[in-house]
Amino acid sequence: MAFAASTACCKPSALLAPRASSSSPLRAQALLCSPSTSAKFHGLRAPASAFAVAPVPRRRAASTGIVCGKVSKGSVPPNFTLKDQDGKTVSLSKFKGKPVVLYFYPADETPGCTKQACAFRDSYEKYKKAGAEVIGISGDDAASHKAFAKKYRLPFTLLSDEGNKVRKEWGVPSDLFGTLPGRQTYVLDKKGVVQYIYNNQFQPEKHIGETLKIIENL
């Protein structure tokens, strides 16, 4: 019976190995150990596809969780109307004609947000001298804002974005882990055009120094 096959085995069989000449004893063994894309058995030929290795599917890259903002530098952000700490309705369009520093922060009374609010308070006269308005926005209600502003003597407007509707419309990203609302500040010029965007979740006081540089040069 004639039989020649390609296998992964490297141990020659005495029954299956072809007869080797005395002049090349290793040739028969090499024939059995050499890979081939075809095999013969009683005149049948196995297709090459039978030896094909299935491709390994590529793993999809994990999402970074980072959300690109809808409001960008050079754009005019959408107008909004929200309640301030006194329960009065305030529209962004009201401030057209003067520079605006509008900062989104996670929540009242948290350590980072308190530091940021107090830093804006301590530099508030510099903003006023530059003719700018400072506005803080979070998802807290008006009563929470009022208590927060009173406790820390905040002289600027705090707006209540309950449900984070404005935050979503502006495309403010969440923090690095996607668990908390992000901390992002926008500087708008007198025409309402965004001139600068600053994001720093873990160094809230830096928002003040960075935005003051921009305001003083508008």
Side-chain angles (χ1 to χ4, degrees):
M1 175 175 66
F3 178 81
S6 168
T7 69
C9 171
C10 284
K11 188 179 288 185
S13 168
L15 294 176
L16 300 180
R19 182 175 298 175
S21 66
S22 58
S23 59
S24 55
L26 296 179
R27 190 158 178 256
Q29 183 175 344
L31 288 172
L32 286 175
C33 297
S34 299
S36 172
T37 58
S38 65
K40 294 180 181 179
F41 184 77
H42 289 291
L44 298 177
R45 181 181 294 272
S49 60
F51 299 92
V53 178
V56 178
R58 293 184 179 181
R59 294 181 63 186
R60 184 174 294 180
S63 171
T64 60
I66 299 173
V67 181
C68 296
K70 295 178 183 177
V71 174
S72 57
K73 183 179 177 182
S75 68
V76 177
N79 188 38
F80 58 75
T81 300
L82 299 172
K83 288 185 177 181
D84 67 7
Q85 62 261 52
D86 297 318
K88 298 177 181 178
T89 56
V90 176
S91 296
L92 178 62
S93 57
K94 168 189 173 183
F95 301 101
K96 201 167 184 179
K98 59 175 66 176
V100 174
V101 175
L102 190 150
Y103 76 98
F104 289 87
Y105 64 98
D108 295 337
E109 295 289 355
T110 58
C113 297
T114 300
K115 285 181 181 180
Q116 185 179 22
C118 290
F120 271 118
R121 176 200 65 196
D122 296 343
S123 296
Y124 186 64
E125 289 302 317
K126 294 179 181 178
Y127 286 106
K128 280 184 67 178
K129 187 177 179 180
E133 289 284 344
V134 176
I135 303 170
I137 301 180
S138 79
D140 302 288
D141 60 24
S144 175
H145 280 339
K146 187 167 186 175
F148 186 51
K150 183 178 180 181
K151 182 177 180 179
Y152 296 102
R153 305 185 312 278
L154 306 179
F156 49 86
T157 301
L158 294 179
L159 297 179
S160 176
D161 181 25
E162 293 187 72
N164 295 317
K165 183 180 177 182
V166 174
R167 179 183 287 272
K168 292 172 185 174
E169 286 179 350
W170 282 46
V172 179
S174 300
D175 71 349
L176 182 64
F177 306 103
T179 56
L180 293 173
R183 188 187 310 281
Q184 187 148 292
T185 301
Y186 299 82
V187 177
L188 282 63
D189 63 17
K190 294 179 180 180
K191 296 180 180 179
V193 178
V194 176
Q195 295 297 329
Y196 187 68
I197 301 174
Y198 185 72
N199 185 298
N200 192 325
Q201 186 79 1
F202 304 108
Q203 294 177 297
E205 300 98 327
K206 277 200 167 186
H207 287 250
I208 288 74
E210 294 295 321
T211 55
L212 266 176
K213 293 175 188 176
I214 303 299
I215 285 292
E216 291 171 349
N217 288 293
L218 283 180

